[in-house]
Amino acid sequence: MAVGERTDNRQAWWPSAFGAGDQIGMLNHVDEAKRVAAMRLVRNGRLYDLAHTLDQDVPVFPGRHFNQTLVTTAHHQNMGGLGDNCVNWQIAVFSSTMQIGTHIDALNHLQIGDRAYNGLRVSELAESHGTNRLGAETVPQIVTRGWLVDVPTIRGAERLGVGDVITVADVEAALDGAEPEPGDAVLFHTGWSAHWNNAAAYLEGEPGPGCEVAEWLVEHGVALTGCDTWSYGPVPAEDPRRPFEVPQILNVRHGVFVVENLDTSALAADGVRGFALLLTHPKPRGATGAWCSPIALT
């Protein structure tokens, strides 16, 4: 199948193989047995934090923002504090768009035309607060086996460049014969997060898995994938007329969840390939995604 045919909106991709009412896609493969098997991979208890710190200076896609303000009203009102123990407190308020920082996309985030995962139309989903189905509150908390695909090491490079396409050959070489199973997570290290503190460089474009890799992940039943980039897939795209097609294939057609803005540098530096992945997230109703701090345990 040619790349240009992959997300032809004339070809119905619904109902999902998991049923017309399904909202969790490939995460259906992550069951109790899968979680137990994942935790058995832990041998030494080494923990890798795969998230970046979130603040107002993080790189953001145009039109998105994060602002946080410390509120100290309690101190003004309580003076030295309440009670004999002088208890006091501070709180922060924030205003933000979703899809910034390290986050998981819910299946309401992307569409082909006006249809999302399982063929649901935006007009059926949209409410003033968010969507009535497929929102972040429907995404299960995740414990599964994870794989790291370290492409720069395979290619003998420090990092990949703008628009570089990760191929199935890259994936198979990095995994060295290992085969992901249904419900597994496959994360990609490109080295791109080295630009994290330089927003202009980070947002200039990005490397990422190509459309053939997306289909390969689907064939293996992968439930979750992610990359150390601000989106997922090469930018500019393989076909410039078809932007962001890779996550579109994964999210909309197949219900594969995507995590963006990962920090995979320590995993790659230590040569880790397989690990237990734990990803939990808040559950804002109807939201198009949720911030997360995934951890890899070895």
Side-chain angles (χ1 to χ4, degrees):
M1 181 183 293
V3 168
E5 297 173 343
R6 293 182 186 275
T7 54
D8 188 338
N9 58 16
R10 294 169 296 183
Q11 298 175 336
W13 60 91
W14 65 91
S16 163
F18 300 105
D22 180 64
Q23 299 189 64
I24 65 171
M26 291 291 197
L27 283 176
N28 280 285
H29 291 306
V30 181
D31 56 13
E32 290 86 352
K34 192 73 184 174
R35 298 181 194 108
V36 170
M39 296 311 296
R40 285 177 177 153
L41 298 172
V42 180
R43 294 289 184 266
N44 57 33
R46 175 70 189 274
L47 183 150
Y48 295 85
D49 184 346
L50 306 182
H52 289 285
T53 299
L54 181 60
D55 60 35
Q56 64 186 20
D57 297 320
V58 300
V60 296
F61 192 78
R64 300 176 189 173
H65 73 277
F66 179 87
N67 293 294
Q68 180 173 292
T69 303
L70 184 67
V71 178
T72 58
T73 306
H75 279 257
H76 299 154
Q77 181 176 354
N78 299 336
M79 302 303 290
L82 294 180
D84 293 344
N85 54 326
C86 300
V87 64
N88 237 323
W89 56 87
Q90 299 181 116
I91 61 171
V93 296
F94 66 85
S95 170
S96 178
T97 50
M98 223 330 108
Q99 274 68 44
I100 65 170
T102 305
H103 66 275
I104 184 169
D105 288 339
L107 294 183
N108 58 357
H109 176 49
L110 292 179
Q111 295 83 45
I112 298 173
D114 70 338
R115 288 188 182 269
Y117 174 69
N118 232 334
L120 292 169
R121 291 187 183 276
V122 171
S123 59
E124 300 174 86
L125 295 173
E127 308 280 354
S128 59
H129 71 278
T131 62
N132 53 40
R133 280 160 287 179
L134 303 179
E137 81 280 8
T138 68
V139 182
Q141 312 300 324
I142 301 167
V143 178
T144 192
R145 179 172 64 173
W147 299 96
L148 183 70
V149 175
D150 178 0
V151 184
T153 294
I154 291 300
R155 295 190 182 182
E158 182 179 2
R159 69 181 65 95
L160 304 189
V162 169
D164 280 353
V165 179
I166 297 172
T167 67
V168 170
D170 290 324
V171 177
E172 292 176 342
L175 294 181
D176 193 26
E179 290 279 342
E181 299 175 352
D184 284 358
V186 177
L187 308 182
F188 291 86
H189 175 72
T190 69
W192 196 249
S193 65
H195 298 305
W196 179 255
N197 293 319
N198 181 343
Y202 189 73
L203 298 170
E204 178 187 6
E206 65 181 27
C211 290
E212 288 186 355
V213 170
E215 300 290 0
W216 185 93
L217 294 171
V218 170
E219 289 168 6
H220 284 77
V222 168
L224 175 79
T225 185
C227 201
D228 58 344
T229 54
W230 53 267
S231 181
Y232 185 96
V235 177
E238 294 167 274
D239 182 344
R241 300 168 302 175
R242 305 178 73 84
F244 303 112
E245 184 168 25
V246 177
Q248 191 183 43
I249 291 169
L250 294 168
N251 276 183
V252 183
R253 286 188 171 273
H254 301 289
V256 179
F257 286 81
V258 171
V259 182
E260 297 168 343
N261 292 317
L262 287 167
D263 181 0
T264 53
S265 57
L267 270 182
D270 285 353
V272 175
R273 186 176 65 188
F275 50 89
L277 177 73
L278 287 74
L279 187 155
T280 64
H281 58 85
K283 299 164 68 174
R285 186 177 301 279
T288 57
W291 294 312
C292 58
S293 292
I295 61 173
L297 287 173
T298 61

